[in-house]
Amino acid sequence: MAGATCKCCLNLSSFFAVEEINNSTTLLPGITLGYDFYDSCMEPVVVLQPSLLFLSEMNTSSISVHCDYTDYWTRVLAVIGPHSSELSMVTAKLFSFFLIPQVSYGATSEKLNNEQYPSFFRTVPSDKIQIDALSQLLIAFKWNWIAVVASDDDYGREGLSLLSSTMNGKSICIAYEGLIPTDLSNANVQEKMSQVIHSINETKVNVIVLFSKDRSVREFFKMWFKLGLGQKVWLATEAWVMSDVVLTLKGVQNIGTVIGFVIKARNVYAFEEYTSDLLELTQQESFCRESREQAGQLGSVLGPQCPQCNNISHHQVTAVLGHRQTFAVYTAVYGVAQALHEALQCQNGQCQKHRVKPWQLLEKLNDLNFSIHNESFHFDEQHSINMGYEVLSWTWPHKKTEIVSIGSFHGNLSINESMVHFHTVDQKAPLSECLTKCSSGQIRRMKGFHLCCYDCIDCESGTFHNDSTCTPCPEHQWSPKRSTQCLDRGEKYIFWSEPLAVCLLGLLLVAFVLTCLSGVLFLKNLQTPAVEASGGGLCLVALLGLAATCISGVLFLGKPSPTICRIQQPFFALCLNLCFSTILVKALQIMLVNDFADSRPNVLHTIIQRHPSVLATVSVLAETVLCVVYLYATPTLLIQNYKLLPEEVLLQCQVQSWLTFATIHGLNGIVAFVSFICTFMVQSSPKKYNIARAIAFAMLTYFITLIIFIPTYATVKQVDQPAVQIGAILLCTFGMLTAYYLPKCYIIWFKPEWNTQNYFQDYTQNRIQGKDT
């Protein structure tokens, strides 16, 4: 009964508008509008019957076939309605072919904006406007994780398509899209409803958009209650937000929070009085008899009459006089009348023309601007009149549904959030988020298949958050994890103050002091047998080279410079060669008198025996030449290594050529190897000090140092390589001191009775004496 009452109310507003225009002296003066009213019964087949009648030629009930319909006079000039988009798309193609203006007061489908319907107009905004309003509402409450349910018809499917495209562009993620059946007589309705509801429940969304007809919404809510699911936020379209079909559902107050949009309502001036007078007229028997007679004459066209309108009371009509579409119908009639006024060239109380064709009326409607009671209206480029929307919310203050206006939309959303009573415990808007608002130093990564749903990913160390990406820092800078900027790198080398450096310096100092003390002790006892057997004055040169070797270790500590990098290796190799060269002379002497004692003397014998310093000088000069070549050809370079350490730049001395590196150190290796070969097999009396064995052990410590140093240097981190080189210097120095010099110092200092010609008598002399015997 409510639906019939509303339908009759809309018809009444059309009657009222036509009569008001016919009684006007300014709009269409001298012209009386006629009309035919037909009930579509919301069925496409039914709506086609009167539509074909409208297309029939004037004063006939047939449609003539012509190649050109320019001069074709149809039965009507314009059509108001139908209400729904589904029915309007059925009729719009017919009327557009004949260029008959059709003005709907409820068809909101975006498809009707298509060029296929050039004669279609409407006095309501399209669904796209409503979806824009929905998106702004979602943004206002920070809801970006939603589900969308639409009715399985043209209205719902198109709305779902528009929602998907619009929401995606506004970073609102649709977690689930579903269709609910509109054919409620189908046996599978409940099963399909149940599947959609279970799918929604799996998404964990708190906000659901229902783009559906009211009867489908009612069945959907019934199934929701049947499955015992919790309360949600429901965003309603104008198709059901004020529908009694949904509002009267038992238990609807437990559905949660309902917020929806309806076209802004305006009062039709004097409409209530007109309706009251008309209802009084319908109580007269003569009016009812005449009405039945007219209905009988048209029965062959319209079919059986709907009887509901015969039992409408004044109270029922009063309740729906303020229906949102009443003014839309009223505006549609006035819009057509104003276009006709201009087409007939009416002015100064009379019209220049008395007849126009539908296509001529259509031309005027395309650019029409008109006013109703001093309020201006016009059809936009999509042939729509956008009156704006009112935002409504359902409340149940006394267990009875009340609809409260909480805002409006006309291009921009204006809403009073405090007026919305949400179903939550604190009555605040529930969260429904997917697009995480990432923290500083994080970027968004797409989550699953939802293009607008993201996880927050930390920017790794060495990168910083720049717009929507993690950008690598410049080479000379670094950044920690989740950084928004880069920091300058610190410098890394072995600092003087760090424990490792202090420990190495202490050991170098100990080695240097021991070497110096040995040198002082040898200098004071230079003429004693122990010193003379070790090489005499050349021992002081060797100890000087060994002390300088200790000093060379200091070059590997602290901040390196280009100069320090250049001299590190040559200085170390030259100092070590100075020590090894003197030992080589002694080893050659031992070999000469031990293995070649019976050979004929030659120049080499003379040099080795009488001018040993010449051999030492030659060795040092050769090493000096190699070091000079190394310094100028392929010197060690200072480089800044940015790749090794995350926060610092490593300052290191990098060898350019390992060949020249091996050459300068290889000469020392050769000298040590010759010294070892010359002495390791020499025998001595147990009661005498074996200098040859001391030399062999000293050289052996050098080789052990090389064996340890090479693989260690190749495997340790580059930041630790200078410490490994210092370690090699220390090991070599302590090996030389322990194996060759310190035992003699012990004898000189603690066992002076051993420091005799007999104990240190050269075994070569013993060998000669033996031969004489």
Side-chain angles (χ1 to χ4, degrees):
M1 186 65 187
T5 305
C6 177
K7 188 184 299 181
C8 292
C9 181
L10 297 179
N11 291 341
L12 284 176
S13 64
S14 300
F15 292 146
F16 176 65
V18 171
E19 290 192 17
E20 197 173 54
I21 292 167
N22 287 339
N23 292 329
S24 173
T25 57
T26 56
L27 184 59
L28 293 173
I31 303 294
T32 301
L33 293 178
Y35 53 84
D36 285 339
F37 278 94
Y38 297 93
D39 189 352
S40 67
C41 296
M42 300 299 293
E43 291 292 337
V45 175
V46 176
V47 81
L48 277 174
Q49 292 178 343
S51 298
L52 292 172
L53 182 62
F54 295 157
L55 296 175
S56 62
E57 196 168 4
M58 180 70 72
N59 301 322
T60 71
S61 59
S62 62
I63 302 174
S64 301
V65 178
H66 300 278
C67 293
D68 185 358
Y69 283 89
T70 305
D71 296 324
Y72 185 81
W73 295 89
T74 55
R75 178 183 177 89
V76 298
L77 282 176
V79 177
I80 306 297
H83 165 262
S84 72
S85 298
E86 186 177 5
L87 297 181
S88 292
M89 281 190 279
V90 172
T91 60
K93 282 188 177 181
L94 286 172
F95 296 140
S96 292
F97 181 76
F98 286 86
L99 296 181
I100 296 178
Q102 175 186 0
V103 186
S104 173
Y105 48 85
T108 58
S109 173
E110 190 71 14
K111 287 183 179 179
L112 291 166
N113 291 341
N114 196 299
E115 293 179 355
Q116 294 179 359
Y117 313 110
S119 69
F120 179 82
F121 294 80
R122 56 186 161 204
T123 55
V124 291
S126 70
D127 287 334
K128 186 177 186 304
I129 306 298
Q130 185 175 202
I131 288 172
D132 287 340
L134 273 169
S135 65
Q136 289 196 29
L137 180 69
L138 290 168
I139 293 171
F141 285 104
K142 298 179 181 178
W143 293 325
N144 51 43
W145 182 235
I146 66 171
V148 179
V149 178
S151 52
D152 193 7
D153 54 15
D154 289 340
Y155 173 76
R157 285 191 294 269
E158 185 189 349
L160 182 61
S161 176
L162 282 171
L163 270 167
S164 297
S165 58
T166 302
M167 300 307 174
N168 187 39
K170 296 183 181 295
S171 297
I172 297 171
C173 197
I174 299 178
Y176 172 75
E177 296 178 356
L179 293 172
I180 54 177
T182 53
D183 183 7
L184 303 181
S185 61
N186 193 305
N188 297 325
V189 168
Q190 289 196 351
E191 182 182 350
K192 290 181 179 179
M193 293 280 189
S194 178
Q195 289 176 353
V196 171
I197 290 172
H198 281 302
S199 298
I200 293 172
N201 197 44
E202 289 175 0
T203 63
K204 312 277 185 206
V205 299
N206 288 322
V207 178
I208 303 166
V209 179
L210 264 176
F211 210 99
S212 172
K213 299 291 182 61
D214 52 1
R215 297 189 182 280
S216 297
V217 173
R218 181 183 176 90
E219 293 303 314
F220 181 81
F221 282 169
K222 281 184 180 180
M223 180 56 65
W224 188 274
F225 293 143
K226 184 177 179 180
L227 295 174
L229 299 183
Q231 296 178 318
K232 302 286 185 181
V233 175
W234 303 90
L235 300 186
T237 61
E238 48 84 27
W240 66 271
V241 70
M242 292 189 68
S243 172
D244 289 339
V245 173
V246 183
L247 287 167
T248 55
L249 176 64
K250 184 179 179 181
V252 73
Q253 64 271 17
N254 298 318
I255 199 65
T257 304
V258 178
I259 302 174
F261 295 87
V262 292
I263 299 168
K264 275 190 175 180
R266 289 172 173 80
N267 292 324
V268 179
Y269 179 72
F271 181 51
E272 187 172 350
E273 292 82 356
Y274 171 80
T275 306
S276 179
D277 294 342
L278 189 60
L279 284 175
E280 289 181 7
L281 181 62
T282 60
Q283 303 304 315
Q284 299 177 13
E285 180 60 28
S286 58
F287 178 86
C288 294
R289 184 174 57 255
E290 184 179 352
S291 177
R292 285 193 293 271
E293 290 175 357
Q294 291 179 355
Q297 295 173 0
L298 297 172
S300 60
V301 177
L302 300 178
Q305 183 183 6
C306 297
Q308 288 88 345
C309 289
N310 294 335
N311 300 313
I312 297 176
S313 67
H314 183 273
H315 173 72
Q316 290 172 327
V317 172
T318 304
V320 295
L321 285 177
H323 191 277
R324 304 281 166 162
Q325 288 177 336
T326 301
F327 189 78
V329 175
Y330 185 76
T331 306
V333 175
Y334 257 92
V336 171
Q338 184 65 47
L340 183 60
H341 181 88
E342 294 186 8
L344 294 174
Q345 298 178 3
C346 299
Q347 57 183 352
N348 300 325
Q350 61 180 358
C351 296
Q352 302 297 321
K353 295 182 179 181
H354 295 284
R355 293 183 68 182
V356 293
K357 297 182 179 65
W359 61 267
Q360 293 173 320
L361 180 63
L362 179 61
E363 287 182 346
K364 298 300 179 181
L365 271 172
N366 282 323
D367 301 315
L368 182 65
N369 286 282
F370 63 101
S371 62
I372 303 175
H373 303 305
N374 298 322
E375 186 174 0
S376 297
F377 298 92
H378 75 281
F379 291 102
D380 58 22
E381 294 179 355
Q382 283 75 41
H383 291 183
S384 303
I385 294 179
N386 184 8
M387 297 184 186
Y389 285 95
E390 192 171 356
V391 189
L392 304 178
S393 176
W394 291 6
T395 60
W396 297 272
H398 306 292
K399 296 185 179 181
K400 181 180 179 182
T401 306
E402 292 185 8
I403 300 177
V404 179
S405 176
I406 60 171
S408 62
F409 176 83
H410 203 296
N412 293 304
L413 182 69
S414 174
I415 189 170
N416 187 350
E417 297 183 17
S418 62
M419 294 182 67
V420 185
H421 299 286
F422 288 100
H423 59 274
T424 53
V425 176
D426 57 1
Q427 293 192 343
K428 292 183 178 179
L431 295 176
S432 191
E433 293 182 321
C434 171
L435 175 60
T436 310
K437 190 175 182 180
C438 295
S439 302
S440 177
Q442 292 182 319
I443 60 171
R444 299 180 302 180
R445 184 178 66 185
M446 191 176 75
K447 184 177 184 179
F449 61 89
H450 298 293
L451 297 178
C452 57
C453 192
Y454 299 89
D455 284 328
C456 289
I457 306 300
D458 294 341
C459 283
E460 296 295 331
S461 56
T463 66
F464 69 101
H465 184 206
N466 182 21
D467 293 332
S468 59
T469 60
C470 292
T471 303
C473 289
E475 190 179 49
H476 64 282
Q477 292 183 318
W478 75 283
S479 66
K481 198 173 184 178
R482 291 182 62 173
S483 178
T484 57
Q485 62 178 352
C486 292
L487 308 173
D488 290 333
R489 288 177 178 265
E491 293 179 337
K492 177 62 178 175
Y493 47 85
I494 301 180
F495 291 89
W496 296 102
S497 58
E498 61 183 276
L500 178 61
V502 173
C503 180
L504 292 174
L505 275 173
L507 292 173
L508 286 171
L509 182 62
V510 170
F512 180 77
V513 169
L514 287 176
T515 303
C516 291
L517 290 176
S518 299
V520 171
L521 193 60
F522 273 42
L523 181 61
K524 288 185 177 181
N525 298 273
L526 190 60
Q527 304 302 323
T528 62
V531 177
E532 288 182 352
S534 300
L538 289 177
C539 283
L540 299 178
V541 176
L543 288 170
L544 177 63
L546 203 59
T549 301
C550 295
I551 296 174
S552 71
V554 179
L555 297 177
F556 294 92
L557 293 174
K559 183 177 180 179
S561 65
T563 302
I564 289 176
C565 286
R566 290 172 70 93
I567 66 173
Q568 275 179 349
Q569 300 299 336
F571 185 70
F572 166 60
L574 191 59
C575 293
L576 194 61
N577 185 267
L578 190 63
C579 177
F580 282 4
S581 296
T582 59
I583 295 176
L584 173 65
V585 171
K586 189 62 182 176
L588 289 172
Q589 289 176 345
I590 293 172
M591 180 194 69
L592 187 64
V593 298
N594 183 59
D595 298 327
F596 300 98
D598 298 331
S599 62
R600 184 177 178 179
N602 53 32
V603 176
L604 184 60
H605 284 71
T606 305
I607 294 174
I608 293 174
Q609 292 288 4
R610 298 182 180 180
H611 306 287
S613 59
V614 174
L615 285 175
T617 303
V618 170
S619 176
V620 172
L621 287 175
E623 182 67 32
T624 302
V625 170
L626 292 176
C627 289
V628 170
V629 172
Y630 180 86
L631 279 172
Y632 287 96
T634 57
T636 304
L637 299 178
L638 174 63
I639 66 164
Q640 296 175 325
N641 191 332
Y642 293 100
K643 296 180 180 179
L644 187 65
L645 302 175
E647 302 176 13
E648 298 167 306
V649 52
L650 176 63
L651 301 181
Q652 61 179 149
C653 299
Q654 188 176 65
V655 176
Q656 282 196 84
S657 172
W658 287 105
L659 178 63
T660 55
F661 177 85
T663 301
I664 61 172
H665 290 288
L667 181 60
N668 288 334
I670 292 172
V671 170
F673 182 73
V674 172
S675 301
F676 178 77
I677 291 296
C678 293
T679 56
F680 84 103
M681 291 296 291
V682 175
Q683 298 296 322
S684 176
S685 172
K687 295 182 180 181
K688 296 184 183 293
Y689 185 83
N690 192 341
I691 295 179
R693 185 161 297 176
I695 294 174
F697 273 110
M699 296 302 101
L700 191 60
T701 59
Y702 173 72
F703 293 133
I704 292 173
T705 301
L706 286 179
I707 292 171
I708 296 173
F709 168 74
I710 292 174
T712 303
Y713 186 86
T715 55
V716 299
K717 296 178 181 179
Q718 294 183 38
V719 68
D720 296 324
Q721 286 178 349
V724 173
Q725 295 196 51
I726 297 174
I729 292 171
L730 286 169
L731 189 60
C732 182
T733 304
F734 280 116
M736 292 290 296
L737 288 172
T738 304
Y740 195 70
Y741 295 105
L742 292 183
K744 299 177 181 63
C745 293
Y746 174 80
I747 292 173
I748 294 171
W749 188 264
F750 295 103
K751 298 290 185 179
E753 65 275 14
W754 292 357
N755 192 4
T756 63
Q757 288 288 344
N758 186 43
Y759 189 74
F760 281 98
Q761 185 178 7
D762 199 333
Y763 60 88
T764 55
Q765 295 180 6
N766 292 338
R767 183 182 179 91
I768 294 169
Q769 291 173 1
K771 284 184 178 183
D772 294 340
T773 304

